[in-house]
Amino acid sequence: MRSLSVRSIAGQVFAVQVLLVCLLIVAATTALVLQARNDSEQEALNRATAVAQTFATSPGIVAAMRTDDPTALLQPRAEDTRHRAHLDFVVVANTKGIRYTHPKPQYIGKELVADWRPVVKGKIVTESVQGPLGREVQATVPIPSGDGKVAGVVCAGMTAADVSSRVERQLPLVFGSAAGALALATGGTALVGGRLRRQTRGLGPAQMTRMYEHHDAVLHSVREGVLIVDSHGRLVLANDEAGRLLELPPKAEGRPVTELGLEPRTAELLASGRFATDEVHLAGDRMLAINQRPTRWDGGMSGSVATLRDSTELRALSGKAEVAERRLRLLYESGAKIGTTLDVERTAEELTRFAVPWFADFATVDLVDPVLRGDDPVGSAMRRTATSGVRADHPLWRVGKVITYTGTVPQALGFGGGRPVLEADLRTYAGWQEQDPEQATRIIRYGIHSMITIPLRARDVTLGIATFWRSEEAEPFDEDDVALIEELAARAAVAIDNARRYTREHAMAATLQRSLLPQGLPEQDALDVAHRYLPAQAGVGGDWFDVIPLPGARVALVVGDVVGHGLHAAATMGRLRTAVHNFSALDLPPDELLAHLDELVSRFDQDQAAAGTDAPGISGASCLYAIYDPVSGRCTMAGAGHPGPAVVLPDSTVTFPDMPLGPPLGLGGEPIETAEVELPEGSRLALFTDGLIRDRGRDCDEGLGVLRGILAGLSGDSPEETCQAVFETMASAHPGDDIALLVARTHLLDPGHVAEWELPSDPAAVARIRNEAAEQLSAWGLEEAGFTTELILSELMTNAIRYGSAPSRVRLLRARTLICEVADGSSTSPHLRRAATTDEGGRGLFLVAQYSLRWGTRYTPNGKIIWAEQPLTASMPSQGGPTAEELLDQWADIPG
C-alpha cells in the first residue's frame, strides 16, 4: 500500500477504484436500509390488516357492539388480541368513528384518528397517521353485520418507533456486509494497483508521457539502427536510422522481416532471434555491424532486439579520432618538453628537437637578435638560434648566422604579417628562392619539398620565425598541419618570451648585485685574500662578502646571505653591506656591530610593514663578521645565523671553530657573542655562505665534510688556488642557491715594526717618549716623518694625561702606513670644535687631523685608543690650502 503513491499511475488508478467502490457500497447500503424500512412498514401494515380483519369477523363482535356497554365486552378482547398479535393497538369504533376500545382508556369515547369514512362504506384503509401513541402505521377494516351493512370499524397497527426498531435490528448485518464488501473490493483493487505499479515502475502520467517522448526521441535520433522483431519473425519496431541503413519500405512494421527486401543473410539473422555480436553484413554499399539479443516482453511474449552500426563511417571517424588524439597527445607532451628551462637558446632547441621527426624532417628557429640578450625585439635582423634534422648534412643555414629576410619570401611575409605561411610544394613556387637562390637550389636538390613558416608571437610581440621542412615523407604539409604547428609554435613562443624576460631580469639583477659587491679588494698587509661568487640558477640572490681595512693594521672579513632571489634580495644586500661599512667606521667589536645590524634590519622590516608593501622582509638574513689583528695574530669573530668559518693551519689541519651562533638578523631575542682564535703565520681562513655546503642531494654536514677534505689537501696553495679548487669540486653548474667564498691567508706584523711605551700620568714623560719615538723612526728609516709624528704624539699624549685615566700607553706601528696609537682607561672621546679667536688652547687635535691621513677613536674593554695614520713618506700639508694660522683661528679641540 505504501508503494502506491498517488503521484504514480498505479496510485491514481487505485485511488479512483477505491472511491468508486466506496460510493457503490454507500449507495447499496442506503438502498438496503431504505428497502428494509419499507419492508418492515409493509409487513406491519399486512399484519395489522390481517389482525384487524380477523378481529372484525370473530364471533360476538357485532353482538357486543349492539349492547349498551360495548366497551366492557370489547376492551378485554381487543387488548388480548393486541398482545397476542404483538401490535401496539387494536381499536374498535362505531360507524361514527367513536372508539369503544384503546390501549389507553382515556382515549375511549373519542373520535378515531383514521380515515374511517371509506371503511364504513366497506373499504380497507392502510395509512400512517399521527395518533395518540405518536406516529402510527395502521390498517382500518369494516366489521360486517351480516346483512350487507357495516356495524363498525376495527383499527389495528403499530407505532413508527416500533417499526424502526425492527429495521435497526437488521442494520449491523447490513453494515457488516458493506464493510466486508469494501475490504474485499479494496484488497482486489490493491492487487490490481500493485500489478499496474510493477508494470509502470511507479511512474506518474507526466513521467510516463515524458519517458515515452524521451525514449521516442532517443530511439529516432541515435546514430545506431534499432529493430525489434517478435517470435514470429514480424517487425515490431524500427527507428529512423534502421530504416535508413536497411532502406526499409513504408509501413514495414507488422510485416515479416523476410518480406522487407533485405539481404537474405541479414533477414535470416533477424528472423532467427539468435545471439549475434558485431556480425558484419552487407546492405547495399554499406558494411553493417549487427548485434542481436533475444528478449521477452508483454508478460512473456518473446522476440529479439537488434542494433545496427555503419562500420564504414565509424572506421572513418575512428581514423580521424586517432589522428586528433595523437595530435592532442603531442601537444600535451610539448608542454613537458618545451620550456623546461628559462634559457632562450635552449628553449628554441627544444622546439626544433620536439618537432623532428614526428612532424617535420628539419626544423629551424630564427630569433630577433636582441631577444637572445633578453631585450625587446627591435629590427628585422635575426640570428639562427636552433636547427634540428633527421640528418646532419642538410643545406640549411647553421646556428649563429645573422639573417635579414626581405621581399616576398615566406619568412618575411610571416614575420611582417604575424601569420603562418604554407608552401606545400617548394618545387613549383619561385618566391621563396629570392632570399638566396643558390641555397634554394641546394635545398631542392637535397629533397626538401614542403615548408611551413610560423611567426613566434607572444603577448602581441613577434620574437622570431620557426620554419619546418619536410623531405623524407612524401606527403606535403596541409592546412591541418598548419593548425597543429601553429598551436605548438604559440606555446613555444610563450616559453621563449618567458625565458627572454627572465634573461633580462636576471641580467639586471646580476648587474645590480655585481655593482654592489666589491669591485676590487682594498690594499692591506694583514691578509692575502681571494674570493668567488656564483649566482643561483633561479636568479641572483643576496649573498655578499667584503674586506674592510680597520685602524691598527687590522682587517675585517665579512660574508652575508639575504633570503630570496631577484632584485629585492640584491638591493637588500646592498643596504646591509653599506650598513656594515658604516658600522665598521665606528670600529665596533663584532658582537656590537652585529647587534646594531640586527636592530637596523628590524627597523627596515617595521618600515616596510608600515608602508604596506608586498616585498618580503629582510628578517632571516645572516652575517659573519671577523676581525683579524696582524699584531697579535688573533681573529675575533661573531655570527648571526651564519655558518662559522673553516680554519686551515699551516700544517693543513682543518678545524671549524666552535663559535656561538646567534639568531639570524632581524629576529633578535638573544645576545650575540664573540669567539677568538689564534692564527699562526700562513694560516688560511675560509668564510662562505651555505650555498657552498648545501646543495641538491647534499646536506650541511656532508658539505662540511667535503670542504674539510678539499682544504686539507691544499697545503701551501695560495688563496686564489684554494678558491678555484673548492669551486671546481663543490659548486655545481646550476646551483640552487648563491655561493660566496672568501679565502684569506694570514700574515703577522714583524715585531720589529712595533714599538710600545707605558705612559705615566706625568707631563714630563711626554718629552721622553717623544724622543724615544724619534729614535725608533730613525731606526726604521723614517726620519722625514719625525717632526709630524712628534707633533701628533705630543698632542695625543698630552690629551691622555690631562683628560684620560690610567693605565695609558703609546704604540707605533710600521705597516703600509705609520700608525700612532695612544690608549688610556677613559671612555670619553675628543672631538673637533670651532675655537674662538681669543681661546688660548683647543687647537691641538685639529693639527692632528691636518697632519695625518686619517684619525679616530676606537673603544676597548678597558678604555679607548686614539689613533692617527701617516704615510711612510714625509707628510706635510698640501700647498695652496689654508695656512695653519688660518685654520687654528677657526678650530680647537676639547675632550668629550
Side-chain angles (χ1 to χ4, degrees):
M1 293 292 290
R2 293 179 181 177
S3 63
L4 295 176
S5 171
V6 295
R7 288 177 292 185
S8 66
I9 291 179
Q12 293 178 5
V13 171
F14 173 77
V16 171
Q17 288 180 337
V18 170
L19 179 62
L20 291 176
V21 168
C22 290
L23 291 176
L24 291 175
I25 291 177
V26 169
T29 303
T30 303
L32 287 175
V33 171
L34 294 176
Q35 184 64 35
R37 185 179 296 279
N38 184 64
D39 290 347
S40 297
E41 184 174 345
Q42 189 62 41
E43 181 185 356
L45 289 173
N46 291 339
R47 183 187 298 178
T49 301
V51 170
Q53 288 178 336
T54 301
F55 188 84
T57 58
S58 61
I61 296 298
V62 175
M65 292 183 65
R66 292 175 179 175
T67 61
D68 295 335
D69 189 7
T71 299
L73 296 176
L74 295 175
Q75 177 72 7
R77 292 184 64 178
E79 288 298 307
D80 181 58
T81 301
R82 179 176 69 83
H83 288 299
R84 289 185 178 183
H86 300 290
L87 297 177
D88 291 328
F89 61 90
V90 176
V91 178
V92 180
N94 60 19
T95 55
K96 295 181 179 180
I98 302 303
R99 298 188 187 97
Y100 289 147
T101 63
H102 198 276
K104 294 181 178 181
Q106 65 267 26
Y107 291 104
I108 297 174
K110 296 181 179 180
E111 185 179 357
L112 178 66
V113 181
D115 188 11
W116 51 270
R117 289 176 179 80
V119 179
V120 174
K121 295 179 180 181
K123 295 182 179 181
I124 297 175
V125 176
T126 57
E127 59 184 340
S128 175
V129 299
Q130 184 66 33
L133 299 180
R135 193 70 181 172
E136 300 170 349
V137 178
Q138 59 188 15
T140 307
V141 301
I143 301 174
S145 61
D147 54 2
K149 297 181 179 179
V150 176
V153 298
V154 177
C155 182
M158 303 172 63
T159 63
D162 195 5
V163 174
S164 297
S165 66
R166 293 173 181 269
V167 175
E168 290 173 357
R169 286 194 294 271
Q170 298 177 10
L171 288 180
L173 178 61
V174 173
F175 288 138
S177 300
L182 178 61
L184 183 61
T186 303
T189 302
L191 292 177
V192 174
R195 181 174 180 81
L196 182 61
R197 180 189 62 79
R198 289 191 296 273
Q199 292 182 346
T200 60
R201 301 186 183 275
L203 300 176
Q207 294 172 314
M208 289 287 291
T209 302
R210 186 166 59 252
M211 182 180 68
Y212 173 78
E213 293 173 350
H214 289 177
H215 287 184
D216 187 67
V218 171
L219 182 67
H220 292 287
S221 63
V222 295
R223 296 291 295 169
E224 280 196 2
V226 179
L227 296 172
I228 300 179
V229 181
D230 64 14
S231 58
H232 302 292
R234 291 190 300 270
L235 181 63
V236 176
L237 182 146
N239 69 346
D240 296 342
E241 184 68 8
R244 185 183 69 85
L245 294 176
L246 296 177
E247 298 180 353
L248 296 176
K251 298 181 180 179
E253 295 178 352
R255 297 171 57 184
V257 294
T258 55
E259 299 177 3
L260 299 179
L262 306 178
E263 293 288 339
R265 183 164 169 261
T266 303
E268 183 276 330
L269 171 63
L270 297 176
S272 67
R274 61 180 174 82
F275 278 90
T277 301
D278 288 337
E279 285 192 12
V280 178
H281 291 249
L282 289 174
D285 57 349
R286 299 178 182 274
M287 299 288 291
L288 302 182
I290 301 178
N291 290 273
Q292 182 169 271
R293 296 292 183 273
T295 184
R296 297 176 67 85
W297 69 90
D298 290 342
M301 181 178 178
S302 61
S304 61
V305 176
T307 60
L308 302 88
R309 272 195 330 274
D310 188 347
S311 62
T312 306
E313 295 181 2
L314 289 176
R315 287 173 182 173
L317 290 175
S318 64
K320 293 181 179 179
E322 289 177 1
V323 173
E325 188 273 336
R326 176 173 173 267
R327 293 189 172 186
L328 286 175
R329 185 174 65 252
L330 291 173
L331 289 176
Y332 172 77
E333 292 176 356
S334 70
K337 295 182 179 180
I338 299 177
T340 60
T341 66
L342 291 173
D343 183 87
V344 175
E345 295 184 9
R346 186 170 177 181
T347 303
E349 292 172 359
E350 290 172 344
L351 170 59
T352 59
R353 286 199 301 266
F354 183 79
V356 176
W358 71 265
F359 179 78
D361 298 315
F362 300 93
T364 61
V365 172
D366 305 321
L367 297 179
V368 181
D369 207 37
V371 172
L372 298 173
R373 300 189 298 271
D375 298 330
D376 293 332
V378 177
S380 59
M382 302 185 197
R383 186 179 299 274
R384 178 60 52 87
T385 308
T387 300
S388 295
V390 293
R391 287 157 42 187
D393 59 345
H394 59 81
L396 302 176
W397 285 320
R398 302 296 171 173
V399 173
K401 180 177 178 59
V402 178
I403 312 164
T404 301
Y405 293 104
T406 59
T408 59
V409 297
Q411 288 84 352
L413 296 175
F415 182 79
R419 57 182 176 82
V421 178
L422 168 65
E423 296 298 337
D425 190 354
L426 297 177
R427 293 163 295 189
T428 61
Y429 178 73
W432 70 278
Q433 300 175 350
E434 296 178 1
Q435 182 72 30
D436 190 337
E438 294 183 3
Q439 192 212 26
T441 302
R442 291 194 298 270
I443 289 175
I444 293 298
R445 290 176 179 175
Y446 189 77
I448 297 176
H449 59 81
S450 188
M451 175 186 70
I452 297 176
T453 182
I454 303 280
L456 298 174
R457 288 182 57 83
R459 302 175 180 93
D460 296 329
V461 174
T462 304
L463 306 172
I465 286 289
T467 307
F468 304 91
W469 315 76
R470 184 169 286 177
S471 64
E472 302 291 327
E473 188 174 343
E475 288 293 329
F477 289 120
D478 55 22
E479 294 297 334
D480 290 339
D481 294 323
V482 173
L484 172 63
I485 203 62
E486 192 172 14
E487 176 70 20
L488 178 64
R491 298 188 179 193
V494 172
I496 291 174
D497 189 55
N498 290 338
R500 176 186 70 86
R501 292 169 179 265
Y502 171 78
T503 301
R504 179 178 59 190
E505 294 182 3
H506 185 273
M508 291 172 57
T511 302
L512 173 62
Q513 186 183 42
R514 293 193 182 277
S515 67
L516 295 175
L517 289 173
Q519 302 303 305
L521 298 181
E523 296 182 354
Q524 42 81 32
D525 296 326
L527 298 169
D528 293 333
V529 182
H531 60 86
R532 289 289 188 278
Y533 172 76
L534 181 65
Q537 181 184 14
V540 296
D543 287 18
W544 56 284
F545 62 90
D546 213 338
V547 179
I548 306 172
L550 297 177
R554 296 168 303 136
V555 177
L557 301 176
V558 193
V559 290
D561 186 359
V562 176
V563 293
H565 296 87
L567 291 175
H568 176 76
T572 301
M573 177 270 289
R575 297 170 74 183
L576 293 184
R577 180 169 177 257
T578 302
V580 169
H581 265 276
N582 292 335
F583 292 141
S584 297
L586 300 177
D587 207 353
L588 300 174
D591 54 342
E592 293 186 22
L593 184 143
L594 291 181
H596 285 292
L597 192 63
D598 176 78
E599 182 180 355
L600 181 65
V601 169
S602 299
R603 190 159 59 249
F604 285 161
D605 286 343
Q606 292 171 2
D607 294 344
Q608 184 170 291
T613 62
D614 296 332
I618 307 176
S619 296
S622 64
C623 182
L624 175 65
Y625 188 84
I627 297 177
Y628 174 68
D629 187 352
V631 177
S632 62
R634 292 191 186 92
C635 182
T636 306
M637 63 190 75
H642 201 91
V647 175
V648 185
L649 299 178
D651 60 358
S652 298
T653 301
V654 181
T655 62
F656 295 96
D658 187 12
M659 56 176 292
L661 184 61
L665 298 174
L667 300 183
E670 295 183 12
I672 299 176
E673 301 179 10
T674 60
E676 279 194 3
V677 293
E678 295 281 347
L679 298 179
E681 173 83 20
S683 298
R684 281 171 293 170
L685 194 63
L687 286 73
F688 49 85
T689 57
D690 59 357
L692 179 69
I693 58 176
R694 184 186 293 114
D695 201 354
R696 301 179 183 93
R698 184 176 67 198
D699 58 19
C700 183
D701 292 338
E702 183 180 356
L704 290 176
V706 174
L707 179 61
R708 181 193 298 271
I710 297 172
L711 295 176
L714 297 174
S715 59
D717 289 11
S718 66
E720 185 67 29
E721 294 170 337
T722 302
C723 283
Q724 187 64 28
V726 170
F727 251 59
E728 288 178 354
T729 305
M730 302 191 66
S732 64
H734 303 285
D737 194 5
D738 293 5
I739 300 176
L741 175 64
L742 194 64
V743 176
R745 183 164 57 190
T746 63
H747 296 290
L748 290 177
L749 195 61
D750 188 348
H753 291 175
V754 179
E756 290 189 83
W757 298 272
E758 292 295 330
L759 177 62
S761 298
D762 183 4
V766 174
R768 177 179 59 83
I769 296 176
R770 185 173 59 236
N771 294 331
E772 294 179 2
E775 295 175 359
Q776 183 64 59
L777 290 176
S778 298
W780 289 341
L782 300 177
E783 293 87 352
E784 294 181 359
F787 175 76
T788 304
T789 304
E790 290 182 26
L791 177 62
I792 292 174
L793 285 177
S794 295
E795 177 58 29
L796 296 183
M797 288 188 293
T798 301
N799 282 342
I801 293 174
R802 291 183 59 187
Y803 306 112
S805 60
S808 300
R809 62 182 178 83
V810 178
R811 186 170 70 166
L812 286 180
L813 301 177
R814 180 185 177 182
R816 185 173 295 272
T817 60
L818 179 62
I819 304 170
C820 301
E821 295 180 347
V822 176
D824 65 76
S826 173
S827 60
T828 59
S829 176
H831 62 274
L832 293 174
R833 71 173 180 87
R834 182 179 297 274
T837 307
T838 57
D839 289 346
E840 296 182 359
R843 297 178 177 83
L845 194 56
F846 183 75
L847 292 176
V848 173
Q850 290 297 310
Y851 282 93
S852 59
L853 290 176
R854 55 179 182 153
W855 73 280
T857 303
R858 73 172 185 269
Y859 294 94
T860 65
N862 299 321
K864 69 177 182 296
I865 297 176
I866 302 177
W867 55 270
E869 290 187 7
Q870 306 168 70
L872 295 181
T873 59
S875 177
M876 294 297 292
S878 60
Q879 298 297 321
T883 64
E885 291 298 330
E886 292 173 340
L887 293 172
L888 290 174
D889 287 341
Q890 302 178 41
W891 300 93
D893 62 304
I894 61 171

